[in-house]
Amino acid sequence: MKKAIQVINKHAKFLKGMFILIVSVLVVAQLLSIFNSLSIDKFQSILDNVSWWKFVIILLVGLLSIVPMTGYDFTLKKMVQLDYSKRYIFEASWIINTINNLAGFGGLVSVGLRNEFFRKGAKDQRIIGALTKILVFVLSGLSIYSLFFFVLTQFFALSDYVKQYWIWLLGAGLYFPIVFLIARRKKDGLLTGLSLENRWRLIGTSFFEWTGMIVTFSVIGYFLDSPIPLNDSIPLFIAATVIGIVSMIPGGLGSFDVMIILGFSSMGLPRETVVLWLLLYRVAYYFLPFLLGALLFSKHLFTKLDEKYNSVPSQLAVELFHKLIVGLLYFSGMLMILVATIPEAFTTNKWLEHLNPFRLHIIAQFPSILLGFSLLIMGRGMAARVKRAYWPTIILLVVTIFYAFITDFSLFTVSYFVLLLILVIVSKSELYREQLVYSWEWLTMDGLIYGILTVLYLIIGFYNLPSFSNHFQRHHILRPGSFLLFPSEKAWFSGFIAIMVVIVFLSLFTRYLRGEKKKVGTALNEAVASQILTTYGGNIDSELIFLRDKEMYTYYKDDEPTVFLQFRTINNKCIVMGNPSGKKDDFTAALKAFIFDCDVLGYLPVFYEVSEKTVLTMHEFGYDFIKMGEEALVDLQSFSLAGKKQRGARSLMNRLTKEGYAFEVVQPPFSAENMQALKAISDSWLEGRKEKGFSLGFFDEAYLQRNPIALVKNQAGEIVSFANIIPTYTKESATIDLMRHHKENAPAGSMDFLFIHLFEYLKEEDIQYFNLGMAPLSNVGKYRSSFIQERIAAFVYEFGSELYSFQGLREYKSKYASLWNPRYTLYSRDSWILYVIIALLIVDNQKNDDSLKK
């Protein structure tokens, strides 16, 4: 026997699962058999005979029957001193009990839910112990009713069908007394510490809980005109409930129903009536309270999520309101303009009449145009989240409401604008930007809207002009002289004059929204930039800041500058050149601060030619990216001219050395004579072309005076080629910027001669890598699954050699490169890639801005 018990305990989960599965299969089979015997027409007839007010009473009784179950949680509040309001206790209790009613499993679900809802507010942290005590009493009410009806089956005249379930009633009747006695058998037993008052509270709660179930079930039977007396229906209900609990199927679903259908059918009640009885019972006592609990749970979950995630969910809700406001402002503005300028269209075309929410016989032409365009610009201000747009939008909506009221009162129109006004007030927190920076993207969208409005104004107004329609229908032509230039010209010209006035007004208002036109960052602070670079190091792009053609953004930590970014502003885009410079540990914080400052002022950062690490960081901020190419790195510590691959380089070096050419690295400061010689070489190399800037250096004496310059001289000691060495302020890498040779005096291969000597020079300086710079569009869009932007770039790479030798540049750098690192451009999802590329082209082809040097 002992061995058998051990085997059962070992496989308890499996045996339990098999038991539930077998019972479920049998129940489903029985239900299918029952439903196959039902008459749908008869069921429908019975349902039609139930008055609607009876359904309402049934549902109300079902909801009220749940209320006693909240007593468990108010008792729990006393037991562990829950620090929650009565409202919270009631709502949480409703959620817990309605979920537990459906889930079943002997109340175990309720224990887990109560622990989740009340754990944090319990001053007495032994909440699990208290919940276990409550669990003992949950079935006490059922046990009392079972014992009562067991006595009835033995001593009173009940139907023989009900009497056969006496064993179930007896078992359930003895359950609570036995469990109660076992639980308090020892001084330190399960019920230790539970006061007599709380015990009676729990017993009373359970009794009224089961009373509620019985009342709900009985009321439904009464309204269905059931002939079965209560002394038979209630004991059968109790027995079926007990069997449903024992089956361990959630909610007794199926097993309980089979018992009720078979029992009442055997007592002469039509199965269709029993099925309707059960459906109403399930809806009234289980599903409707559960739906109400689900709503309360959604509210509770939203509140918890809002607290947990720092009010982000509520902010998202406000964001939704904000987007709705923008859409409604644009919608309202466009319709008001159309209604005023082409009123015929909104009276003759039914679909336009239904589309118009204002039903405006209302507004005269000029005020409507003024208000319509004002709503459009307000929509742009709200879409841009500009703080300055708040009060003008409020005032505009109040004026619109007042004007609609006095011109041709429409309750719908006034209500519409009042709702819009409320939404604007609620969404005030979404307006945080200091100014409006009208981006190319917004100009494009608004331009399309204004253009479409104009086209619709002309076309729809022309075809819906009554005189035109009548003439067209009768003669298919217009009578000459009926207009001077085009139909409805008088209305059009009056509208045109109104629009001209509106443009002046909107220009002034747009200027107001733009504010003082603040910019992010400052001009170069050379001392701060040098301090950051010498203290924390930089990268191959850091030195470009000293060209003074870019703004500088400095990040301070504990009042100490640790990171700077260099960028240039085009339209609403702050185009950052390369990776941040300075203390790497502060890069993420610096980028976050930069994005925030840009956002407040209405700008969107674009990060140009950055590394993979920056891509990963910025992707967390919601940025998209496109690969721009790869940069070539030469491993200086392993570089050698030995081997077959470098045979041509060795031959070149030997030839130029024999011809008397020499390599030299000179240190600043440089004499005026040397600078003139370098300028002459630069001019010769440019051949009249305009120099670029931003990502590339240009000939600037102050810039060249900062760092060593590598020279190639001929046998007469004249400089024929040069390259300025760019430090990264680390031993990791170095590079050059300007790489120029005299078109006439420099021999072929002078740049290779300079490079190879420079490799050797930097190797002696213990520099690890020499950066040969970018190979644009290299290895971009190679795969079918690559971004469409990169696939287009790959097409340019393959077939654009007539404009720029992309492949040739890659092949040239491949002679020396031992490592290729990808470079990317990052841009906000609010930016259009086309305008990002245009901004990059503009900024790369501008040499500098003298205003930035001041």
Side-chain angles (χ1 to χ4, degrees), residues 466-527:
S467 60
F468 173 80
S469 301
N470 294 334
H471 280 291
F472 187 80
Q473 291 173 4
R474 277 183 272 174
H475 308 292
H476 300 285
I477 58 172
L478 283 171
R479 186 174 71 249
S482 61
F483 54 88
L484 181 62
L485 296 175
F486 51 84
S488 195
E489 64 187 11
K490 292 181 180 179
W492 191 93
F493 277 120
S494 60
F496 177 77
I497 293 171
I499 289 175
M500 291 299 101
V501 175
V502 167
I503 288 174
V504 174
F505 171 76
L506 294 185
S507 297
L508 294 173
F509 189 74
T510 303
R511 186 178 183 85
Y512 165 76
L513 289 180
R514 286 175 176 169
E516 300 176 9
K517 201 174 182 180
K518 300 176 183 176
K519 287 194 173 184
V520 184
T522 62
L524 170 67
N525 186 324
E526 189 167 344

Side-chain angles (χ1 to χ4, degrees), residues 271-386:
R271 285 189 173 182
E272 291 79 8
T273 301
V274 182
V275 170
L276 180 58
W277 190 341
L278 288 171
L279 286 175
L280 291 174
Y281 173 67
R282 291 292 184 184
V283 171
Y285 191 80
Y286 288 92
F287 292 107
L288 182 61
F290 173 76
L291 289 176
L292 180 57
L295 292 175
L296 293 173
F297 180 73
S298 299
K299 172 194 169 186
H300 170 79
L301 182 62
F302 184 84
T303 302
K304 290 199 71 173
L305 286 173
D306 204 45
E307 293 173 355
K308 181 177 180 181
Y309 295 106
N310 299 319
S311 300
V312 171
S314 59
Q315 291 171 9
L316 289 176
V318 175
E319 170 76 9
L320 180 62
F321 283 136
H322 172 260
K323 291 188 180 300
L324 181 62
I325 290 166
V326 172
L328 290 177
L329 285 172
Y330 268 85
F331 175 74
S332 304
M334 289 187 289
L335 276 181
M336 289 187 73
I337 294 168
L338 289 173
V339 168
T341 53
I342 48 172
E344 298 94 343
F346 286 85
T347 56
T348 59
N349 277 355
K350 292 296 181 184
W351 67 274
L352 283 177
E353 184 180 0
H354 290 301
L355 180 65
N356 175 21
F358 310 132
R359 303 295 185 266
L360 299 175
H361 318 286
I362 69 171
I363 302 178
Q365 188 179 43
F366 176 71
S368 181
I369 291 175
L370 180 62
L371 290 172
F373 275 103
S374 298
L375 286 171
L376 287 178
I377 196 64
M378 286 305 110
R380 174 51 57 206
M382 294 294 290
R385 305 172 190 273
V386 179

